[in-house]
Amino acid sequence: MYVLYGSTGSGSASVEAALALSGAEYRIVQTSTAEGKHLTEDFKLINPRQQVPALQLPDSSIMTEGSAMMLHLADALPAAQLAPLPGSSARAQHDRWLIFMAVNIYEGELRKGYSDRYTDNADGIEGVKTSADAYVKRHHAILEEVIVGPFILGQQMTMADIYLWMLAGWMDQEWLTVHCPKIAALAAAIRQNPLVAPIHTVHFG
Ligand SMILES: N[C@@H](CCC(=O)N[C@@H](CS)C(=O)NCC(=O)O)C(=O)O
């Protein structure tokens, strides 16, 4: 049994969808960041960084970093075929774009959401937010150009696409539809998957 420590609308959404689509047995431990549930001493033992998602594996070990969870689940539950074979060129491209999203887009979203953490000067907070917004959009635009369609690598939906569905959920939907129609269509297709639809509603309404 997998145990996912997650919070509504957070980075745990993609891991929850990946678990559901992989047919894994899992349960969610609600760790609402809005209510400060991640700031307890107990949760610090689970993730010293005090962030969600955190994932307990069936052997009781715990991992953090959502993008690493997506890669791990692809390999641990290969029957779901949510990533190209390890070692293949297609897998290299898959991992490349998944990490691209984690270190650029997700990180940029954190600068938007927690702008005060990125400056010592209260007057600088708004600037952090607006530059992060432009940064996130620039990286969505880069991704838009490389999407083969309908999914990032072509016909097969992968963990990278599930991760992108989550990132797309955090975007201004009007901007996304106008500037990144391939991302908007990919996210809509994943949202309509019967296993993802209820998860989408919980996280994005
Ligand atoms: N690098 C981590 C980032 C995780 C992260 O920033 N999670 C946010 C929610 S999306 C969080 O827990 N925020 C609460 C806080 O930092 O106080 C990952 O990719 O999993």
Side-chain angles (χ1 to χ4, degrees):
M1 162 84 81
Y2 290 89
V3 181
L4 176 63
Y5 295 82
S7 180
T8 304
S10 80
S12 61
S14 62
V15 183
E16 191 176 338
L19 285 162
L21 287 164
S22 300
E25 253 191 86
Y26 70 96
R27 68 183 174 88
I28 309 280
V29 176
Q30 294 298 342
T31 313
S32 165
T33 55
E35 293 169 20
K37 296 270 166 57
H38 61 309
L39 300 175
T40 64
E41 286 305 308
D42 279 353
F43 191 65
K44 203 175 193 172
L45 297 174
I46 290 162
N47 183 0
R49 185 79 175 84
Q50 292 187 290
Q51 289 181 323
V52 293
L55 183 66
Q56 184 181 302
L57 307 186
D59 70 356
S60 294
S61 61
I62 288 174
M63 68 182 296
T64 62
E65 299 304 326
S67 51
M69 293 169 204
M70 304 299 278
L71 292 172
H72 173 71
L73 291 172
D75 293 339
L77 303 164
Q81 298 189 316
L82 286 172
L85 282 181
S88 64
S89 301
R91 179 59 179 268
Q93 294 305 314
H94 174 270
D95 296 359
R96 169 193 181 188
W97 293 114
L98 180 59
I99 299 305
F100 172 92
M101 289 185 271
V103 302
N104 295 306
I105 302 180
Y106 194 141
E107 183 54 31
E109 288 289 357
L110 293 177
R111 291 207 299 278
K112 280 164 63 181
Y114 301 100
S115 309
D116 56 314
R117 296 182 185 174
Y118 294 85
T119 175
D120 291 334
N121 178 357
D123 292 341
I125 293 175
E126 200 47 40
V128 170
K129 206 182 281 291
T130 53
S131 70
D133 185 57
Y135 185 86
V136 164
K137 286 175 175 161
R138 179 159 76 84
H139 287 85
H140 271 283
I142 292 172
L143 201 52
E144 173 76 9
E145 289 302 311
V146 303
I147 290 174
V148 175
F151 297 108
I152 298 174
L153 300 180
Q155 292 300 321
Q156 186 75 23
M157 179 179 71
T158 66
M159 291 293 187
D161 298 303
I162 299 165
Y163 199 81
L164 183 52
W165 154 77
M166 173 182 76
L167 298 179
W170 292 339
M171 291 300 286
D172 175 328
Q173 296 303 300
E174 205 178 306
W175 183 89
L176 201 66
T177 307
V178 171
H179 295 93
C180 301
K182 285 194 273 184
I183 296 179
L186 177 157
I190 294 180
R191 172 191 185 150
Q192 280 157 24
N193 180 296
L195 292 170
V196 178
I199 297 171
H200 186 98
T201 302
V202 167
H203 288 279
F204 302 112

